[in-house]
């Protein structure tokens, strides 16, 4: 018995079945799910007077017309029963479901327990979720390799274990653009509702009171709003807040300053943003760097009586610290759409706080956004199941061993590490726009396909500052989305063409650096690396030649060239049980300035790094996590 799912809508779908001219075929009608199944006991040949030949899908439009003539409106079709199976685990817009049903068997099962989800994925080729489903390593384990794609119908992918997905060869795609406006509008809705006590006053009226004096609000016009994270949502909130007459500033270490200027917004440092703002609106992803970024220390730097809006992720705020800040009046009010644990416990102190306006993660929940997100994710999932390159892929699919480019492989590692080093040398507030990559090679220009190297440089630059996973599939898309212009240059190198490359240099133009020595005379951050004995090495920082193997993490110090420096740094690291794996010193003249590049196996503690920074002869130092 073959079953062909046909998505249909009808003003009123009757229960039961309709038998066609071919008595072996029936339409099963289900009013509850608005679905119609075409059921046949043998290979179907005709239905409703229509001759059906393989492939069935080609005949479905006509089948739909005939069904329509029979009083039903069939809007999508299906092909054969060996189609992929897509599990939709959270509510998805109808337009997206219709697209999916044209291509796959679609099972919509909401509110699954983790155990139920794990049991189902073993029979699914694709899984579609929103923020409410945790797609854990166990899910990938249980799927035993059948799950080919996870579609996140929205932006934040912090609920999907991307590392596990990658390990299990499962592509993860998201829908990054369709809910931007909805989230921005919700941010503005919360801003205005909080300023004018709308929710509190409404609750008071519903309890029979008329408290005009209690709910005097504050005006928004002329107030300073700090947008933390000037990406898609943050910039749309900025535009709208300017329309309300607010003075808008923003902090985003990685956003291009011209993008902000175009909206009339000044990019400022983190401290400047939080200490000058009357309202602070959070729009950054949840990453290890942003986790609990708003804590006792950062609240203490804010203007007394500041108001905070969070439509990003609950985890960027230390929730206990926010309760304290609300209780002591540092924060006058907060409007929160997101929580560290969702749903939060019933007696959650923030939800219950009288100065907090709370919504249950509604940022993306408009009719329009959900239809848009559903279509965006359905197209991405279908494309991925067809094996097409997905422009919204957020993780790296397993590269089959036959595709591993053994010759380029150490350069692939080098490229990513150089990208990571370069981005960590940028100081906040300056934004990265232009990246120039210079490949020095003895080979003919046509001999080097640099796409994978460029992708890995993009990965190295973007991943430490966002929740996006970059791979060969989505690197160029990601760079474009973030306004990163990556240009590549080949310079001939006079050596043996046995190796594909001599060196890779990365120039970040027009940026400030937290390690001034990384800046070249032209003001660019420059880092260069080479492969030596199969291992990536850092060979140039700014105009200083160095040589440090990039096996662990790296500390760079600029110091006065005098005896005792190496010993002192080594002693401090030793006291913290940090093992040095490589070290090089480069100086421009005797007893003047030197750059020490130290490769370390472990991550030194903050105190250890401070101790190194405060050695009198050390003028500047930076720790680079690789
Ligand atoms: N409440 C809801 O329903 C929704 C929530 N979101 C959340 O909103 C956030 C923003 O989404 P999009 O704008 O689409 O993402 P996006 O990637 O376009 O923007 C994020 C911005 O944050 C910046 N950023 C990264 N680290 C930062 C740091 N340490 N400090 C300041 N800025 C930093 C990035 O450079 C980027 O410009 C995400 O967390 C997303 O999950 C998005 C849609 C709906
Ligand atoms: O897109 C996002 O990041 C969101 O937070 C929206 O989440 P949702 O799809 O509404 O569960």
């Amino acid at each position: 018995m073959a079953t062909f799912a046909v998505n249909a809508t009808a003003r009123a779908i009757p229960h039961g079945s309709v038998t066609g001219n071919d008595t072996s075929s029936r339409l099963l009608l289900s009013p509850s799910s608005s679905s119609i199944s075409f059921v046949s006991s043998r290979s179907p040949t005709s239905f409703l007077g229509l001759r059906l030949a393989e492939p069935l899908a080609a005949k479905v439009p006509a089948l739909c017309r005939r069904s329509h003539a029979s009083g039903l409106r069939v809007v999508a079709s299906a092909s054969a029963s060996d189609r992929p199976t897509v599990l939709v685990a959270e509510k998805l817009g109808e337009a997206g479901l219709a697209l999916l049903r044209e291509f796959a068997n679609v099972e919509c099962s909401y509110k699954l327990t983790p155990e139920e989800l794990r049991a189902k994925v073993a029979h699914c080729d694709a899984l579609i979720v929103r923020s409410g489903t945790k797609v854990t390593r166990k899910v990938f384990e249980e799927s035993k390799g059948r799950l080919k794609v996870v579609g996140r119908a929205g932006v934040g992918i912090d609920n999907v274990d991307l590392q596990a997905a990658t390990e299990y060869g499962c592509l993860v795609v998201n829908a990054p653009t369709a809910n931007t406006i909805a989230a921005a509008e919700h941010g503005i809705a919360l801003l205005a509702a909080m300023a004018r006590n709308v929710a509190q006053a409404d609750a008071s009226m519903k309890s029979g009171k008329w408290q005009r004096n209690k709910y005097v609000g504050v005006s928004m016009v002329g107030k300073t709003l700090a947008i933390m994270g000037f990406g898609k949502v943050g910039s749309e909130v900025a535009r709208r807040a300017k329309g309300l007459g607010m003075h808008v500033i923003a902090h985003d270490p990685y956003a291009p300053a011209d993008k902000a200027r175009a909206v009339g917004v000044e990019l400022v440092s983190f401290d400047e943003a939080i200490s000058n703002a009357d309202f602070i609106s959070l729009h950054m992803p949840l990453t290890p760097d942003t986790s609990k970024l708003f804590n006792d220390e950062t609240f203490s730097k804010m203007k007394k009586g500041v108001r905070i809006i969070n439509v990003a992720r609950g985890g960027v705020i230390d929730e206990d610290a926010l309760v304290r800040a609300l209780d002591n009046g540092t924060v006058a009010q907060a409007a929160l759409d997101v929580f560290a644990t969702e749903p939060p416990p019933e007696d959650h102190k923030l939800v219950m706080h009288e100065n907090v306006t709370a919504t249950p993660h509604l940022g993306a929940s408009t009719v329009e956004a959900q239809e848009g997100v559903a279509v965006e994710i359905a197209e991405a999932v279908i494309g991925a199941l067809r094996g097409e390159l997905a422009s919204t892929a957020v993780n790296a699919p397993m590269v089959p061993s036959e595709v591993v480019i053994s010759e380029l492989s150490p350069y692939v590692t080098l490229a990513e590490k150089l990208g990571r080093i370069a981005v960590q040398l940028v100081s906040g507030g300056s934004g990265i726009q232009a990246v120039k990559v210079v490949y020095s090679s003895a080979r003919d220009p046509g001999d080097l396909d640099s796409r994978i190297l460029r992708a890995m440089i993009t990965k190295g630059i973007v991943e430490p500052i966002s929740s996006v996973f970059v791979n060969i599939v989505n690197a160029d898309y990601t760079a474009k989305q973030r306004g990163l212009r990556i240009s590549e240059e080949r310079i001939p190198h006079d050596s043996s063409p046995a190796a594909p490359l001599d060196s890779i240099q990365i120039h970040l133009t027009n940026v400030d650096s937290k390690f001034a020595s990384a800046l070249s005379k032209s003001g660019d951050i420059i880092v260069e690396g080479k492969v030596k004995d199969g291992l990536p090495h850092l060979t140039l920082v700014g105009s200083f030649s160095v040589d440090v193997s990039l096996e662990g993490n790296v500390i760079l110090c600029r110091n006065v060239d005098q005896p005792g420096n190496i010993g002192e740094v080594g002693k401090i690291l030793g006291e913290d049980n940090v093992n040095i794996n490589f070290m090089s010193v480069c100086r421009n003249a005797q007893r003047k300035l030197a750059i020490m590049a130290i490769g370390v196996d472990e991550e030194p503690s903050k105190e250890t790094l401070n101790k190194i920074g405060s050695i009198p002869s050390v003028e500047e130092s930076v720790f680079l996590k690789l």
Side-chain angles (χ1 to χ4, degrees):
M1 176 80 64
T3 302
F4 302 91
V6 180
N7 177 36
T9 57
R11 276 179 301 279
I13 298 179
H15 257 300
S17 63
V18 177
T19 305
N21 292 358
D22 174 353
T23 49
S24 64
S25 310
R26 291 179 293 138
L27 270 180
L28 294 185
L29 309 172
S30 159
S32 55
S33 65
S34 297
S35 79
I36 300 182
S37 302
F38 180 78
V39 179
S40 173
S41 56
R42 356 179 259 262
S43 183
T45 52
S46 71
F47 185 75
L48 292 175
L50 174 77
R51 259 189 69 74
L52 294 177
E54 293 296 337
L56 177 68
K59 292 286 179 189
V60 165
L63 172 65
C64 295
R65 281 196 298 279
R66 304 276 170 117
S67 305
H68 182 67
S70 318
L72 292 166
R73 203 150 49 87
V74 181
V75 293
S77 62
S79 63
S81 56
D82 57 353
R83 301 177 317 158
T85 298
V86 178
L87 172 63
V88 179
E90 287 180 76
K91 190 146 174 43
L92 196 69
E94 262 312 312
L97 288 175
L99 278 178
L100 289 168
R101 286 186 182 121
E102 279 181 37
F103 178 77
N105 298 321
V106 179
E107 180 184 341
C108 295
S109 294
Y110 308 144
K111 299 198 173 144
L112 293 172
T113 63
E115 294 72 33
E116 287 166 342
L117 176 66
R118 294 208 296 271
K120 280 196 187 289
V121 287
H123 313 287
C124 296
D125 303 281
L127 167 66
I128 295 184
V129 298
R130 288 176 56 185
S131 62
T133 306
K134 295 244 176 300
V135 188
T136 59
R137 177 169 288 276
K138 282 194 175 151
V139 170
F140 295 104
E141 276 167 15
E142 290 297 316
S143 118
K144 298 188 176 64
R146 168 132 185 211
L147 203 54
K148 294 180 194 71
V149 53
V150 171
R152 161 45 170 131
V155 182
I157 26 87
D158 39 286
N159 53 323
V160 181
D161 186 335
L162 292 174
Q163 182 58 37
T166 305
E167 285 173 28
Y168 282 83
C170 179
L171 191 68
V172 181
V173 290
N174 72 348
T177 57
N179 67 22
T180 300
I181 298 298
E185 287 178 347
H186 197 61
I188 294 290
L190 286 179
L191 167 78
M194 170 174 66
R196 301 308 297 270
N197 300 307
V198 171
Q200 291 86 343
D202 176 66
S204 148
M205 275 196 78
K206 288 199 164 79
S207 69
K209 297 182 187 137
W210 182 255
Q211 297 177 290
R212 281 166 41 91
N213 290 337
K214 184 167 180 192
Y215 295 118
V216 173
V218 290
S219 190
M220 290 170 280
V221 69
K223 298 284 165 58
T224 297
L225 168 69
I227 305 270
M228 310 302 283
F230 199 73
K232 293 185 292 295
V233 179
S235 54
E236 290 299 336
V237 169
R239 262 184 246 278
R240 284 157 179 75
K242 285 190 81 74
L244 295 172
M246 301 187 84
H247 169 59
V248 184
I249 55 176
H251 169 70
D252 187 326
Y254 319 109
D258 59 353
K259 182 182 160 201
R261 263 197 304 276
V263 189
V265 170
E266 191 193 348
L267 283 182
V268 297
S269 69
F270 182 87
D271 282 359
E272 215 176 326
I274 61 167
S275 58
N276 285 307
D278 304 296
F279 292 82
I280 299 178
S281 194
L282 313 185
H283 300 288
M284 66 257 290
L286 178 60
T287 66
D289 274 354
T290 61
S291 172
K292 297 195 177 173
L293 188 58
F294 297 88
N295 51 39
D296 286 319
E297 190 195 333
T298 43
F299 286 132
S300 71
K301 292 181 183 166
M302 294 177 187
K303 254 190 193 177
K304 191 158 173 70
V306 67
R307 291 176 163 78
I308 295 180
I309 303 113
N310 188 7
V311 191
R313 282 293 176 271
V316 303
I317 294 182
D318 175 342
E319 293 186 334
D320 294 333
L322 179 56
V323 173
R324 287 189 284 276
L326 282 159
D327 287 344
N328 68 28
T330 307
V331 175
Q333 288 181 301
L336 308 173
D337 184 46
V338 282
F339 300 87
T341 303
E342 294 185 359
E346 269 178 28
D347 58 350
H348 193 268
K349 285 199 174 130
L350 285 174
V351 177
M352 303 313 288
H353 204 287
E354 63 166 342
N355 294 335
V356 172
T357 304
T359 50
H361 202 145
L362 291 181
S365 294
T366 62
V367 174
E368 296 81 358
Q370 282 313 307
E371 284 300 300
V373 162
V375 170
E376 199 176 0
I377 204 61
E379 284 172 347
V381 166
I382 292 168
L385 287 173
R386 284 190 176 129
E388 293 163 7
L389 293 186
S391 61
T392 59
V394 290
N395 72 335
M398 295 286 272
V399 182
S401 54
E402 64 273 18
V403 189
V404 172
I405 333 105
S406 54
E407 188 188 51
L408 264 191
S409 120
Y411 297 92
V412 168
T413 315
L414 173 67
E416 181 179 350
K417 293 201 178 209
L418 287 176
R420 280 184 174 267
I421 292 174
V423 74
Q424 290 180 73
L425 289 168
V426 176
S427 73
S430 50
I432 305 170
Q433 289 169 51
V435 181
K436 186 166 102 179
V437 185
V438 182
Y439 305 105
S440 160
S441 168
R443 289 201 183 163
D444 283 344
D447 262 6
L448 178 72
D449 181 349
S450 62
R451 277 179 312 164
I452 191 158
L453 299 175
R454 189 176 68 230
M456 290 302 118
I457 291 169
T458 307
K459 180 177 169 72
I461 292 176
V462 172
E463 282 185 358
I465 59 176
S466 73
S467 52
V468 176
F469 264 62
V470 183
N471 59 28
I472 182 89
V473 178
N474 68 358
D476 287 344
Y477 174 84
T478 306
K480 198 166 156 220
Q481 285 283 99
R482 307 184 70 86
L484 267 188
R485 287 192 308 278
I486 302 187
S487 61
E488 292 172 292
E489 196 183 310
R490 288 280 309 269
I491 54 167
H493 188 259
D494 190 15
S495 61
S496 153
L501 280 169
D502 175 63
S503 66
I504 303 176
Q505 262 189 22
I506 298 182
H507 300 226
L508 300 183
T509 51
N510 284 327
V511 287
D512 295 329
S513 178
K514 56 173 82 141
F515 188 68
S517 318
L519 291 169
S520 67
K521 288 195 184 79
S522 58
D524 296 352
I525 288 184
I526 299 189
V527 291
E528 179 200 80
K530 297 187 178 185
V531 170
K532 296 186 178 184
D533 298 326
L535 289 176
H537 279 235
L538 178 66
T539 52
L540 186 82
V541 175
S543 50
F544 290 88
S545 296
V546 294
D547 188 356
V548 62
S549 154
L550 297 174
E551 286 164 274
N553 303 310
V554 171
I555 301 169
L556 295 176
C557 293
R558 183 183 67 196
N559 53 284
V560 180
D561 182 30
Q562 63 182 38
N565 285 328
I566 297 178
E568 200 159 347
V569 171
K571 184 167 160 276
I572 294 171
L573 289 171
E575 280 164 4
D576 194 13
N577 202 21
V578 174
N579 195 36
I580 297 179
N581 59 38
F582 216 100
M583 185 161 194
S584 86
V585 180
C586 162
R587 60 186 186 182
N588 45 15
Q590 247 189 42
R591 303 255 171 177
K592 289 214 165 131
L593 277 186
I595 292 283
M596 235 193 284
I598 309 151
V600 287
D601 289 337
E602 293 83 16
E603 183 170 346
S605 66
K606 275 206 173 112
E607 295 75 60
T608 299
L609 293 171
N610 286 342
K611 273 191 206 162
I612 292 175
S614 49
I615 298 174
S617 60
V618 170
E619 296 185 346
E620 59 171 349
S621 63
V622 65
F623 172 68
L624 306 168
K625 195 167 160 55
L626 297 184

